[in-house]
Amino acid sequence: KSRHYQNKDGRRKGIMKCIDQYLQESLILSDPDMYYQFEEWKSGKIKTLLIVGLSGSGKSTLGTKLSKEYNCVSYNLDVYMQNFIKQHLIKYPNQKEESWDHYIKDLEKFIKTTNKRIILEGVDGMFINRSLALKQSVIVMGTSLLKSTYRAWRRNVKYPVDSGYPNGETSFTILKDVLKNQKGFSENL
């Protein structure tokens, strides 16, 4: 099967270049979500569905909906990462810098060894080995940067402790962090 998509002007591109262009062009206006090998996941041919996009783009909402519709488990990668790194630092307290690399390797191992249909939703899905990612089904959320940033900021202000702000940070501080995270995600494509 072809690993290419047509972009908006009809030219064929590789999936990763297409994702990059898709997110860069979606600054103000939202585009439809982009599906890659989704039918293969629905049929059970592919076991892992990655849902990626900016913070606040609707990944968790879609993951929950699809997990109910297809009777499978959806993992929030933010929670998965926090638990993994916490456990890693208990075992190896002097390896804080290496924790991220160990987490990504663990996530890749999890994807390779799963034998049941799962959904992994979160920004971290963009950081796994690209050749491994291309063997999975992928949904890229087309929610615009503006809309995603507003949603993420609103969520983090409404649920500050759950969002990592237990010390009463101001909504302006939270907005600065959301913008920094959105920028970091876009730069790491």
Short mmCIF file of all heavy atoms in Angstrom, two decimals, residues 88-150:
data_model
loop_
_atom_site.label_atom_id
_atom_site.label_comp_id
_atom_site.label_asym_id
_atom_site.label_seq_id
_atom_site.Cartn_x
_atom_site.Cartn_y
_atom_site.Cartn_z
N HIS A 88 10.17 5.22 37.00
CA HIS A 88 11.56 5.19 36.54
C HIS A 88 12.46 5.96 37.51
O HIS A 88 13.55 5.51 37.84
CB HIS A 88 11.67 5.77 35.12
CG HIS A 88 13.03 5.66 34.53
ND1 HIS A 88 13.93 6.68 34.57
CD2 HIS A 88 13.65 4.62 33.91
CE1 HIS A 88 15.05 6.29 33.98
NE2 HIS A 88 14.91 5.05 33.56
N LEU A 89 12.00 7.12 37.97
CA LEU A 89 12.82 7.93 38.87
C LEU A 89 12.92 7.31 40.27
O LEU A 89 13.90 7.56 40.97
CB LEU A 89 12.28 9.37 38.95
CG LEU A 89 12.48 10.17 37.67
CD1 LEU A 89 11.84 11.54 37.80
CD2 LEU A 89 13.96 10.30 37.33
N ILE A 90 11.93 6.51 40.66
CA ILE A 90 12.05 5.79 41.93
C ILE A 90 13.18 4.76 41.82
O ILE A 90 14.01 4.64 42.73
CB ILE A 90 10.71 5.11 42.31
CG1 ILE A 90 9.70 6.18 42.73
CG2 ILE A 90 10.91 4.08 43.43
CD1 ILE A 90 8.28 5.66 42.88
N LYS A 91 13.23 4.05 40.71
CA LYS A 91 14.28 3.04 40.49
C LYS A 91 15.64 3.67 40.22
O LYS A 91 16.67 3.18 40.66
CB LYS A 91 13.93 2.14 39.30
CG LYS A 91 12.87 1.13 39.55
CD LYS A 91 12.71 0.28 38.29
CE LYS A 91 11.62 -0.73 38.43
NZ LYS A 91 11.38 -1.48 37.20
N TYR A 92 15.64 4.75 39.42
CA TYR A 92 16.89 5.37 38.98
C TYR A 92 16.84 6.88 39.25
O TYR A 92 16.67 7.68 38.33
CB TYR A 92 17.11 5.14 37.48
CG TYR A 92 16.97 3.70 37.06
CD1 TYR A 92 15.79 3.25 36.46
CD2 TYR A 92 17.99 2.79 37.29
CE1 TYR A 92 15.66 1.92 36.07
CE2 TYR A 92 17.87 1.46 36.91
CZ TYR A 92 16.69 1.03 36.30
OH TYR A 92 16.55 -0.28 35.92
N PRO A 93 17.00 7.29 40.51
CA PRO A 93 16.83 8.71 40.86
C PRO A 93 17.82 9.66 40.18
O PRO A 93 17.55 10.85 40.05
CB PRO A 93 17.00 8.74 42.38
CG PRO A 93 17.62 7.45 42.74
CD PRO A 93 17.32 6.47 41.66
N ASN A 94 18.94 9.15 39.70
CA ASN A 94 19.95 10.01 39.07
C ASN A 94 19.79 10.08 37.55
O ASN A 94 20.66 10.60 36.87
CB ASN A 94 21.36 9.52 39.43
CG ASN A 94 21.63 9.60 40.90
OD1 ASN A 94 21.12 10.50 41.58
ND2 ASN A 94 22.38 8.66 41.42
N GLN A 95 18.71 9.54 37.02
CA GLN A 95 18.53 9.52 35.56
C GLN A 95 17.35 10.37 35.10
O GLN A 95 16.63 10.01 34.18
CB GLN A 95 18.32 8.08 35.09
CG GLN A 95 19.54 7.22 35.20
CD GLN A 95 19.34 5.89 34.51
OE1 GLN A 95 18.30 5.62 33.90
NE2 GLN A 95 20.34 5.04 34.58
N LYS A 96 17.19 11.53 35.71
CA LYS A 96 16.06 12.39 35.32
C LYS A 96 16.11 12.76 33.84
O LYS A 96 15.11 12.72 33.14
CB LYS A 96 16.03 13.64 36.19
CG LYS A 96 14.81 14.48 35.99
CD LYS A 96 14.72 15.62 36.95
CE LYS A 96 13.41 16.35 36.74
NZ LYS A 96 13.22 17.42 37.67
N GLU A 97 17.28 13.12 33.36
CA GLU A 97 17.43 13.53 31.96
C GLU A 97 17.12 12.39 30.99
O GLU A 97 16.59 12.61 29.91
CB GLU A 97 18.85 14.06 31.70
CG GLU A 97 19.18 15.33 32.45
CD GLU A 97 18.30 16.50 32.05
OE1 GLU A 97 18.02 16.66 30.85
OE2 GLU A 97 17.87 17.24 32.96
N GLU A 98 17.43 11.15 31.38
CA GLU A 98 17.23 10.00 30.51
C GLU A 98 15.81 9.45 30.56
O GLU A 98 15.45 8.59 29.77
CB GLU A 98 18.21 8.87 30.88
CG GLU A 98 19.66 9.20 30.61
CD GLU A 98 20.35 9.85 31.81
OE1 GLU A 98 19.68 10.16 32.81
OE2 GLU A 98 21.57 10.07 31.73
N SER A 99 15.00 9.94 31.49
CA SER A 99 13.65 9.39 31.68
C SER A 99 12.81 9.45 30.41
O SER A 99 12.09 8.51 30.10
CB SER A 99 12.92 10.13 32.80
OG SER A 99 13.52 9.87 34.03
N TRP A 100 12.87 10.55 29.67
CA TRP A 100 12.07 10.70 28.46
C TRP A 100 12.44 9.63 27.43
O TRP A 100 11.57 8.99 26.84
CB TRP A 100 12.25 12.10 27.88
CG TRP A 100 11.57 12.26 26.56
CD1 TRP A 100 12.14 12.22 25.32
CD2 TRP A 100 10.17 12.45 26.32
NE1 TRP A 100 11.19 12.39 24.34
CE2 TRP A 100 9.98 12.54 24.93
CE3 TRP A 100 9.06 12.56 27.15
CZ2 TRP A 100 8.74 12.73 24.34
CZ3 TRP A 100 7.82 12.76 26.56
CH2 TRP A 100 7.67 12.84 25.18
N ASP A 101 13.75 9.42 27.21
CA ASP A 101 14.18 8.41 26.25
C ASP A 101 13.71 7.02 26.66
O ASP A 101 13.27 6.23 25.82
CB ASP A 101 15.71 8.41 26.11
CG ASP A 101 16.22 9.69 25.46
OD1 ASP A 101 15.45 10.33 24.71
OD2 ASP A 101 17.38 10.05 25.71
N HIS A 102 13.80 6.71 27.95
CA HIS A 102 13.33 5.41 28.44
C HIS A 102 11.82 5.27 28.26
O HIS A 102 11.32 4.20 27.92
CB HIS A 102 13.70 5.22 29.92
CG HIS A 102 15.15 4.96 30.14
ND1 HIS A 102 15.74 3.74 29.88
CD2 HIS A 102 16.13 5.77 30.58
CE1 HIS A 102 17.02 3.81 30.17
NE2 HIS A 102 17.30 5.04 30.58
N TYR A 103 11.10 6.36 28.48
CA TYR A 103 9.65 6.35 28.29
C TYR A 103 9.29 6.05 26.83
O TYR A 103 8.44 5.20 26.55
CB TYR A 103 9.04 7.68 28.74
CG TYR A 103 7.68 7.96 28.16
CD1 TYR A 103 6.59 7.16 28.51
CD2 TYR A 103 7.49 8.99 27.26
CE1 TYR A 103 5.34 7.39 27.95
CE2 TYR A 103 6.24 9.24 26.71
CZ TYR A 103 5.17 8.43 27.06
OH TYR A 103 3.94 8.66 26.51
N ILE A 104 9.93 6.73 25.89
CA ILE A 104 9.64 6.51 24.47
C ILE A 104 9.97 5.07 24.08
O ILE A 104 9.20 4.41 23.38
CB ILE A 104 10.38 7.53 23.58
CG1 ILE A 104 9.84 8.96 23.83
CG2 ILE A 104 10.25 7.16 22.10
CD1 ILE A 104 8.36 9.15 23.50
N LYS A 105 11.09 4.54 24.55
CA LYS A 105 11.44 3.14 24.25
C LYS A 105 10.39 2.18 24.84
O LYS A 105 10.01 1.20 24.19
CB LYS A 105 12.83 2.82 24.82
CG LYS A 105 13.96 3.37 23.97
CD LYS A 105 15.31 2.95 24.53
CE LYS A 105 16.47 3.38 23.71
NZ LYS A 105 16.65 4.74 23.43
N ASP A 106 9.91 2.46 26.04
CA ASP A 106 8.88 1.63 26.66
C ASP A 106 7.58 1.70 25.86
O ASP A 106 6.93 0.69 25.64
CB ASP A 106 8.64 2.08 28.11
CG ASP A 106 7.67 1.17 28.83
OD1 ASP A 106 8.07 0.04 29.19
OD2 ASP A 106 6.51 1.59 29.03
N LEU A 107 7.22 2.90 25.43
CA LEU A 107 6.02 3.08 24.62
C LEU A 107 6.14 2.31 23.30
O LEU A 107 5.20 1.63 22.89
CB LEU A 107 5.78 4.57 24.36
CG LEU A 107 4.58 4.96 23.54
CD1 LEU A 107 3.28 4.48 24.19
CD2 LEU A 107 4.55 6.49 23.35
N GLU A 108 7.29 2.39 22.66
CA GLU A 108 7.50 1.66 21.41
C GLU A 108 7.41 0.15 21.64
O GLU A 108 6.82 -0.57 20.83
CB GLU A 108 8.86 2.03 20.81
CG GLU A 108 8.88 3.45 20.27
CD GLU A 108 10.25 3.91 19.83
OE1 GLU A 108 11.27 3.24 20.13
OE2 GLU A 108 10.32 4.97 19.18
N LYS A 109 7.97 -0.34 22.74
CA LYS A 109 7.89 -1.76 23.07
C LYS A 109 6.43 -2.17 23.28
O LYS A 109 5.99 -3.22 22.82
CB LYS A 109 8.72 -2.05 24.32
CG LYS A 109 8.72 -3.50 24.72
CD LYS A 109 9.55 -3.71 25.99
CE LYS A 109 9.43 -5.14 26.47
NZ LYS A 109 10.10 -5.32 27.75
N PHE A 110 5.69 -1.33 23.98
CA PHE A 110 4.27 -1.59 24.23
C PHE A 110 3.51 -1.72 22.91
O PHE A 110 2.71 -2.64 22.72
CB PHE A 110 3.68 -0.48 25.10
CG PHE A 110 2.22 -0.63 25.42
CD1 PHE A 110 1.76 -1.71 26.15
CD2 PHE A 110 1.31 0.34 25.00
CE1 PHE A 110 0.41 -1.84 26.45
CE2 PHE A 110 -0.03 0.21 25.30
CZ PHE A 110 -0.48 -0.88 26.02
N ILE A 111 3.77 -0.81 21.97
CA ILE A 111 3.11 -0.84 20.67
C ILE A 111 3.47 -2.13 19.91
O ILE A 111 2.60 -2.79 19.34
CB ILE A 111 3.48 0.40 19.83
CG1 ILE A 111 2.86 1.65 20.46
CG2 ILE A 111 3.04 0.25 18.38
CD1 ILE A 111 3.37 2.96 19.88
N LYS A 112 4.73 -2.49 19.93
CA LYS A 112 5.20 -3.67 19.19
C LYS A 112 4.63 -4.98 19.75
O LYS A 112 4.44 -5.94 19.01
CB LYS A 112 6.72 -3.75 19.21
CG LYS A 112 7.40 -2.72 18.36
CD LYS A 112 8.92 -2.83 18.52
CE LYS A 112 9.63 -1.71 17.82
NZ LYS A 112 11.08 -1.75 18.08
N THR A 113 4.41 -5.03 21.07
CA THR A 113 4.04 -6.30 21.69
C THR A 113 2.55 -6.44 22.00
O THR A 113 2.13 -7.51 22.44
CB THR A 113 4.84 -6.52 22.99
OG1 THR A 113 4.57 -5.43 23.89
CG2 THR A 113 6.33 -6.59 22.71
N THR A 114 1.77 -5.42 21.78
CA THR A 114 0.34 -5.54 22.10
C THR A 114 -0.32 -6.54 21.16
O THR A 114 0.00 -6.59 19.97
CB THR A 114 -0.38 -4.18 22.06
OG1 THR A 114 -1.69 -4.35 22.61
CG2 THR A 114 -0.50 -3.62 20.65
N ASN A 115 -1.22 -7.34 21.70
CA ASN A 115 -1.91 -8.32 20.86
C ASN A 115 -3.41 -8.05 20.80
O ASN A 115 -4.16 -8.84 20.28
CB ASN A 115 -1.63 -9.74 21.34
CG ASN A 115 -2.05 -9.94 22.79
OD1 ASN A 115 -2.57 -9.03 23.41
ND2 ASN A 115 -1.81 -11.11 23.32
N LYS A 116 -3.83 -6.92 21.36
CA LYS A 116 -5.24 -6.54 21.26
C LYS A 116 -5.35 -5.12 20.73
O LYS A 116 -4.40 -4.35 20.76
CB LYS A 116 -5.93 -6.69 22.61
CG LYS A 116 -5.26 -5.98 23.74
CD LYS A 116 -5.93 -6.33 25.05
CE LYS A 116 -5.09 -5.80 26.20
NZ LYS A 116 -5.61 -6.14 27.47
N ARG A 117 -6.51 -4.80 20.22
CA ARG A 117 -6.74 -3.48 19.63
C ARG A 117 -6.73 -2.42 20.73
O ARG A 117 -7.44 -2.55 21.72
CB ARG A 117 -8.06 -3.47 18.88
CG ARG A 117 -8.27 -2.19 18.15
CD ARG A 117 -9.34 -2.19 17.14
NE ARG A 117 -10.50 -3.00 17.45
CZ ARG A 117 -11.48 -3.22 16.60
NH1 ARG A 117 -11.43 -2.70 15.41
NH2 ARG A 117 -12.51 -3.95 16.93
N ILE A 118 -5.91 -1.38 20.55
CA ILE A 118 -5.80 -0.30 21.53
C ILE A 118 -5.79 1.05 20.83
O ILE A 118 -5.55 1.14 19.62
CB ILE A 118 -4.53 -0.42 22.40
CG1 ILE A 118 -3.27 -0.36 21.52
CG2 ILE A 118 -4.56 -1.67 23.26
CD1 ILE A 118 -1.98 -0.20 22.31
N ILE A 119 -6.03 2.09 21.63
CA ILE A 119 -5.92 3.48 21.18
C ILE A 119 -4.92 4.17 22.10
O ILE A 119 -5.02 4.06 23.31
CB ILE A 119 -7.29 4.20 21.27
CG1 ILE A 119 -8.31 3.53 20.35
CG2 ILE A 119 -7.13 5.68 20.92
CD1 ILE A 119 -9.74 4.02 20.57
N LEU A 120 -3.97 4.85 21.50
CA LEU A 120 -3.02 5.67 22.25
C LEU A 120 -3.25 7.10 21.82
O LEU A 120 -3.02 7.44 20.65
CB LEU A 120 -1.57 5.25 21.95
CG LEU A 120 -1.19 3.82 22.28
CD1 LEU A 120 0.23 3.53 21.81
CD2 LEU A 120 -1.32 3.56 23.77
N GLU A 121 -3.71 7.93 22.74
CA GLU A 121 -3.97 9.32 22.36
C GLU A 121 -3.10 10.25 23.16
O GLU A 121 -2.97 10.11 24.36
CB GLU A 121 -5.47 9.66 22.50
CG GLU A 121 -6.08 9.46 23.86
CD GLU A 121 -5.95 10.66 24.77
OE1 GLU A 121 -5.40 11.70 24.38
OE2 GLU A 121 -6.38 10.54 25.91
N GLY A 122 -2.44 11.14 22.45
CA GLY A 122 -1.59 12.13 23.09
C GLY A 122 -0.53 12.64 22.14
O GLY A 122 -0.23 12.04 21.12
N VAL A 123 0.03 13.75 22.52
CA VAL A 123 1.08 14.39 21.73
C VAL A 123 2.28 13.47 21.58
O VAL A 123 2.94 13.45 20.55
CB VAL A 123 1.48 15.73 22.39
CG1 VAL A 123 2.69 16.34 21.73
CG2 VAL A 123 0.31 16.70 22.38
N ASP A 124 2.56 12.65 22.61
CA ASP A 124 3.75 11.80 22.61
C ASP A 124 3.80 10.83 21.44
O ASP A 124 4.87 10.37 21.08
CB ASP A 124 3.83 11.00 23.91
CG ASP A 124 3.76 11.88 25.15
OD1 ASP A 124 3.85 13.11 24.99
OD2 ASP A 124 3.60 11.34 26.24
N GLY A 125 2.66 10.52 20.86
CA GLY A 125 2.63 9.62 19.72
C GLY A 125 3.48 10.12 18.56
O GLY A 125 3.94 9.34 17.73
N MET A 126 3.72 11.42 18.49
CA MET A 126 4.53 11.99 17.42
C MET A 126 6.02 11.77 17.63
O MET A 126 6.82 12.01 16.74
CB MET A 126 4.27 13.50 17.29
CG MET A 126 2.92 13.85 16.73
SD MET A 126 2.61 13.17 15.10
CE MET A 126 3.87 13.97 14.13
N PHE A 127 6.41 11.31 18.82
CA PHE A 127 7.83 11.20 19.13
C PHE A 127 8.36 9.77 19.00
O PHE A 127 9.55 9.55 19.17
CB PHE A 127 8.10 11.73 20.54
CG PHE A 127 7.82 13.19 20.66
CD1 PHE A 127 6.60 13.64 21.14
CD2 PHE A 127 8.74 14.13 20.25
CE1 PHE A 127 6.33 14.99 21.23
CE2 PHE A 127 8.48 15.48 20.33
CZ PHE A 127 7.26 15.92 20.83
N ILE A 128 7.50 8.82 18.70
CA ILE A 128 7.99 7.45 18.52
C ILE A 128 8.70 7.34 17.19
O ILE A 128 8.54 8.20 16.31
CB ILE A 128 6.86 6.41 18.65
CG1 ILE A 128 5.85 6.52 17.52
CG2 ILE A 128 6.19 6.47 20.01
CD1 ILE A 128 4.86 5.37 17.46
N ASN A 129 9.45 6.30 17.02
CA ASN A 129 10.19 6.02 15.80
C ASN A 129 9.23 6.11 14.60
O ASN A 129 8.18 5.47 14.60
CB ASN A 129 10.81 4.62 15.92
CG ASN A 129 11.50 4.19 14.68
OD1 ASN A 129 10.87 3.91 13.66
ND2 ASN A 129 12.82 4.12 14.77
N ARG A 130 9.59 6.87 13.61
CA ARG A 130 8.69 7.11 12.47
C ARG A 130 8.35 5.85 11.69
O ARG A 130 7.23 5.68 11.23
CB ARG A 130 9.25 8.18 11.55
CG ARG A 130 9.15 9.54 12.20
CD ARG A 130 9.68 10.62 11.34
NE ARG A 130 9.67 11.85 12.13
CZ ARG A 130 9.34 13.02 11.66
NH1 ARG A 130 9.01 13.15 10.41
NH2 ARG A 130 9.34 14.08 12.43
N SER A 131 9.32 4.95 11.54
CA SER A 131 9.00 3.73 10.79
C SER A 131 8.00 2.88 11.56
O SER A 131 7.15 2.23 10.96
CB SER A 131 10.27 2.93 10.47
OG SER A 131 10.89 2.47 11.64
N LEU A 132 8.07 2.90 12.90
CA LEU A 132 7.08 2.20 13.71
C LEU A 132 5.72 2.90 13.60
O LEU A 132 4.69 2.24 13.46
CB LEU A 132 7.54 2.14 15.18
CG LEU A 132 6.57 1.48 16.16
CD1 LEU A 132 6.31 0.02 15.79
CD2 LEU A 132 7.10 1.60 17.58
N ALA A 133 5.73 4.22 13.65
CA ALA A 133 4.47 4.98 13.56
C ALA A 133 3.75 4.69 12.24
O ALA A 133 2.53 4.58 12.21
CB ALA A 133 4.74 6.47 13.71
N LEU A 134 4.51 4.55 11.16
CA LEU A 134 3.91 4.32 9.85
C LEU A 134 3.28 2.93 9.71
O LEU A 134 2.53 2.69 8.78
CB LEU A 134 4.93 4.56 8.74
CG LEU A 134 5.34 6.02 8.57
CD1 LEU A 134 6.48 6.12 7.58
CD2 LEU A 134 4.16 6.88 8.14
N LYS A 135 3.58 2.04 10.64
CA LYS A 135 2.97 0.71 10.63
C LYS A 135 1.68 0.69 11.44
O LYS A 135 1.01 -0.34 11.50
CB LYS A 135 3.95 -0.32 11.20
CG LYS A 135 5.17 -0.51 10.34
CD LYS A 135 6.15 -1.45 10.99
CE LYS A 135 7.43 -1.55 10.18
NZ LYS A 135 8.46 -2.32 10.89
N GLN A 136 1.33 1.81 12.07
CA GLN A 136 0.13 1.90 12.88
C GLN A 136 -0.93 2.69 12.11
O GLN A 136 -0.66 3.28 11.08
CB GLN A 136 0.43 2.62 14.21
CG GLN A 136 1.67 2.15 14.94
CD GLN A 136 1.78 0.66 15.08
OE1 GLN A 136 0.83 -0.01 15.48
NE2 GLN A 136 2.94 0.11 14.75
N SER A 137 -2.12 2.70 12.68
CA SER A 137 -3.15 3.61 12.17
C SER A 137 -2.98 4.93 12.91
O SER A 137 -2.61 4.94 14.08
CB SER A 137 -4.54 3.04 12.44
OG SER A 137 -4.71 1.82 11.75
N VAL A 138 -3.24 6.02 12.22
CA VAL A 138 -3.02 7.34 12.81
C VAL A 138 -4.19 8.25 12.48
O VAL A 138 -4.67 8.26 11.34
CB VAL A 138 -1.71 7.99 12.29
CG1 VAL A 138 -1.47 9.35 12.93
CG2 VAL A 138 -0.50 7.08 12.50
N ILE A 139 -4.62 9.01 13.48
CA ILE A 139 -5.55 10.11 13.24
C ILE A 139 -4.85 11.38 13.70
O ILE A 139 -4.37 11.45 14.83
CB ILE A 139 -6.87 9.94 14.02
CG1 ILE A 139 -7.61 8.68 13.59
CG2 ILE A 139 -7.76 11.18 13.83
CD1 ILE A 139 -8.87 8.38 14.40
N VAL A 140 -4.76 12.36 12.81
CA VAL A 140 -4.20 13.66 13.15
C VAL A 140 -5.37 14.63 13.27
O VAL A 140 -6.13 14.81 12.31
CB VAL A 140 -3.21 14.16 12.07
CG1 VAL A 140 -2.64 15.52 12.46
CG2 VAL A 140 -2.10 13.15 11.85
N MET A 141 -5.50 15.20 14.44
CA MET A 141 -6.60 16.14 14.69
C MET A 141 -6.36 17.42 13.90
O MET A 141 -5.26 17.99 13.95
CB MET A 141 -6.72 16.44 16.18
CG MET A 141 -6.91 15.21 17.07
SD MET A 141 -8.34 14.21 16.64
CE MET A 141 -9.66 15.30 17.14
N GLY A 142 -7.36 17.88 13.20
CA GLY A 142 -7.24 19.07 12.35
C GLY A 142 -7.67 20.35 13.04
O GLY A 142 -7.78 21.38 12.38
N THR A 143 -7.88 20.31 14.34
CA THR A 143 -8.30 21.50 15.09
C THR A 143 -7.24 22.59 14.98
O THR A 143 -6.06 22.32 15.15
CB THR A 143 -8.53 21.14 16.58
OG1 THR A 143 -9.32 19.96 16.65
CG2 THR A 143 -9.22 22.26 17.31
N SER A 144 -7.66 23.80 14.71
CA SER A 144 -6.71 24.90 14.50
C SER A 144 -5.91 25.19 15.76
O SER A 144 -6.31 24.87 16.88
CB SER A 144 -7.46 26.17 14.08
OG SER A 144 -8.17 26.71 15.18
N LEU A 145 -4.77 25.83 15.56
CA LEU A 145 -3.91 26.23 16.68
C LEU A 145 -4.66 27.17 17.63
O LEU A 145 -4.60 27.02 18.84
CB LEU A 145 -2.64 26.90 16.15
CG LEU A 145 -1.70 27.47 17.22
CD1 LEU A 145 -1.18 26.36 18.11
CD2 LEU A 145 -0.54 28.22 16.55
N LEU A 146 -5.39 28.10 17.06
CA LEU A 146 -6.13 29.06 17.88
C LEU A 146 -7.18 28.35 18.75
O LEU A 146 -7.25 28.55 19.96
CB LEU A 146 -6.79 30.11 16.98
CG LEU A 146 -7.52 31.25 17.67
CD1 LEU A 146 -6.56 32.07 18.52
CD2 LEU A 146 -8.20 32.15 16.64
N LYS A 147 -7.97 27.50 18.13
CA LYS A 147 -9.03 26.78 18.86
C LYS A 147 -8.43 25.81 19.89
O LYS A 147 -8.90 25.73 21.02
CB LYS A 147 -9.91 26.02 17.87
CG LYS A 147 -11.14 25.41 18.47
CD LYS A 147 -12.00 24.81 17.35
CE LYS A 147 -13.34 24.35 17.85
NZ LYS A 147 -14.19 23.86 16.75
N SER A 148 -7.39 25.07 19.50
CA SER A 148 -6.74 24.13 20.41
C SER A 148 -6.15 24.85 21.62
O SER A 148 -6.27 24.40 22.76
CB SER A 148 -5.62 23.37 19.70
OG SER A 148 -6.13 22.54 18.70
N THR A 149 -5.48 25.97 21.36
CA THR A 149 -4.87 26.73 22.45
C THR A 149 -5.93 27.24 23.42
O THR A 149 -5.77 27.13 24.64
CB THR A 149 -4.05 27.90 21.89
OG1 THR A 149 -3.04 27.37 21.02
CG2 THR A 149 -3.39 28.71 22.99
N TYR A 150 -7.02 27.76 22.88
CA TYR A 150 -8.10 28.24 23.75
C TYR A 150 -8.67 27.09 24.59
O TYR A 150 -8.86 27.22 25.80
CB TYR A 150 -9.21 28.89 22.91
CG TYR A 150 -10.42 29.24 23.75
CD1 TYR A 150 -10.37 30.29 24.65
CD2 TYR A 150 -11.58 28.48 23.67
CE1 TYR A 150 -11.46 30.61 25.46
CE2 TYR A 150 -12.67 28.79 24.47
CZ TYR A 150 -12.61 29.84 25.35
OH TYR A 150 -13.68 30.13 26.16
#
